[in-house]
Amino acid sequence: MSSEKKKKEKEPDITFFHPDLLEIPQDGSLPYLKGYRCTRCGQLDFPKLNPCPGCWGEEFDMIPLSRQGKLYSFADIHIGQPGMNTPYIVGYVDLPENIRIFAQLEGELGSFCCDQAVELTVGPIRMNQDGLPITSYKFKKAAVPEERKP
């Protein structure tokens, strides 16, 4: 009976929001966002746009995107959607691949500033209908700012 009880008490599986956007490698290496490059014209997009808006191509190569970027803009949210714990922070992050990503930011309200170096992290972004956390990508202040390219 104790083994049945242990099975019932097992931790719930983590629910990921759009697994085609985020890769968390099983080998323990750092997670990354998935960009998609059109094999016909070379346009890189996040998320994948099908067909390619540049040439209408329908074949893509997955490209791991940079883990660090710069915060373009942000907002502190005090009244959110159902299932979201308020307050929280959202922002646009510019990656070196010339891609701008909208994401939640992990940190204290009022602690971010534009052009700040941020890095990818993973964590809960909201609760599902059953009250369980949905895990996805977020950005947080970068531990070590990336080097500027000339």
Side-chain angles (χ1 to χ4, degrees):
M1 182 167 158
S2 61
S3 63
E4 288 179 24
K5 189 174 184 180
K6 285 182 183 178
K7 287 180 183 177
K8 289 181 182 179
E9 291 176 2
K10 180 184 169 189
E11 291 287 323
D13 290 333
I14 296 174
T15 302
F16 287 97
F17 182 74
H18 291 290
D20 57 321
L21 303 179
L22 173 67
E23 181 70 29
I24 301 177
Q26 296 295 319
D27 66 3
S29 56
L30 296 172
Y32 58 88
L33 295 174
K34 298 176 178 181
Y36 293 90
R37 185 176 308 281
C38 176
T39 58
R40 184 188 283 175
C41 72
Q43 180 169 318
L44 180 63
D45 289 305
F46 176 87
K48 180 166 75 173
L49 302 174
N50 196 3
C52 172
C55 70
W56 297 92
E58 294 185 0
E59 293 185 25
F60 303 88
D61 290 328
M62 191 284 294
I63 307 293
L65 298 177
S66 297
R67 293 185 35 79
Q68 288 195 345
K70 285 195 172 200
L71 188 59
Y72 173 75
S73 66
F74 65 95
D76 295 340
I77 307 296
H78 294 273
I79 300 173
Q81 303 173 13
M84 307 217 30
N85 293 329
T86 55
Y88 60 94
I89 311 162
V90 295
Y92 284 100
V93 175
D94 287 341
L95 297 182
E97 293 87 357
N98 199 28
I99 290 184
R100 182 170 287 160
I101 295 177
F102 183 75
Q104 280 189 20
L105 303 177
E106 189 173 284
E108 299 292 320
L109 293 177
S111 68
F112 287 95
C113 59
C114 292
D115 289 330
Q116 184 171 35
V118 292
E119 64 185 354
L120 182 71
T121 189
V122 175
I125 58 167
R126 65 175 304 135
M127 300 300 206
N128 69 12
Q129 293 175 341
D130 298 326
L132 298 173
I134 295 174
T135 300
S136 190
Y137 63 91
K138 295 176 158 186
F139 284 86
K140 64 180 181 178
K141 292 179 185 179
V144 178
E146 72 177 47
E147 294 181 27
R148 293 185 178 234
K149 297 177 183 174

